Amino acid sequence: MRIANRKSGRYGFLFNWIILLGDLFCINAFYLLTYKFAGSFLFQDAVLSSNTKLILLLWINFSYFIVSYVVPSNLLSNIVYFDKIIRRSLYFITLYAVTFTVGVILFVHINISWHMWILSYVLLTLVYLLWHISFRIVLKAYRGKGGN
């Protein structure tokens, strides 16, 4: 492999880890805050045992890794347009929501109302888009100053 073909620079692996950890933090924080503040509305007053909460938390993260393998992040290239970031993020979150919903229905057996599912999908999409766009702006400013 020629060194000229490398696109990620000397800190490219670090940026990939930052994106991965940022995605996991955004998604986990979203679901934990949603459960804390709107758990009774979302789960229709169902009492969740600690076992069920653990399975939900594991499925949140497992769904992320499944979808991130299918839809890789493309924030590190030199030329990335915001419409491509938005399109890829929407595709990612839609596939994530479907994967997570199927897992919750099959493994956890919780009934979630459709209007709350759509509301949580829209809010998670906004959080995820804001994270990806803000990271891209910071990365562009970093590269504008001569870094990586």
Side-chain angles (χ1 to χ4, degrees):
M1 174 199 268
R2 293 178 40 207
I3 294 180
N5 289 337
R6 291 180 55 196
K7 293 182 182 178
S8 58
R10 67 180 179 178
Y11 293 120
F13 70 94
L14 183 63
F15 291 140
N16 282 330
W17 278 102
I18 291 171
I19 293 169
L20 175 82
L21 292 176
D23 287 351
L24 282 173
F25 177 77
C26 285
I27 291 173
N28 283 316
F30 173 78
Y31 281 113
L32 289 175
L33 290 174
T34 301
Y35 178 72
K36 181 175 173 84
F37 294 115
S40 62
F41 297 117
L42 187 61
F43 297 114
Q44 300 170 350
D45 297 327
V47 178
L48 298 178
S49 66
S50 61
N51 217 5
T52 305
K53 291 177 189 175
L54 180 64
I55 291 171
L56 274 173
L57 187 64
L58 290 173
W59 189 250
I60 287 169
N61 294 317
F62 187 63
S63 298
Y64 171 78
F65 285 116
I66 290 172
V67 176
S68 67
Y69 181 74
V70 174
V71 183
S73 175
N74 191 21
L75 294 175
L76 297 178
S77 359
N78 291 335
I79 300 173
V80 176
Y81 299 106
F82 284 114
D83 61 340
K84 289 185 180 180
I85 293 173
I86 292 171
R87 188 177 340 129
R88 186 165 292 212
S89 296
L90 283 174
Y91 179 60
F92 181 90
I93 286 297
T94 303
L95 193 59
Y96 175 80
V98 168
T99 306
F100 178 69
T101 304
V102 167
V104 166
I105 290 171
L106 290 177
F107 300 122
V108 185
H109 306 292
I110 295 176
N111 293 329
I112 300 174
S113 63
W114 283 104
H115 65 281
M116 288 307 290
W117 185 89
I118 291 171
L119 180 65
S120 65
Y121 167 74
V122 169
L123 291 176
L124 180 61
T125 302
L126 289 175
V127 168
Y128 191 78
L129 282 173
L130 286 174
W131 155 244
H132 273 249
I133 290 173
S134 62
F135 180 80
R136 182 60 190 169
I137 290 171
V138 169
L139 182 64
K140 195 172 186 179
Y142 175 71
R143 286 182 175 164
K145 293 181 180 180
N148 202 18

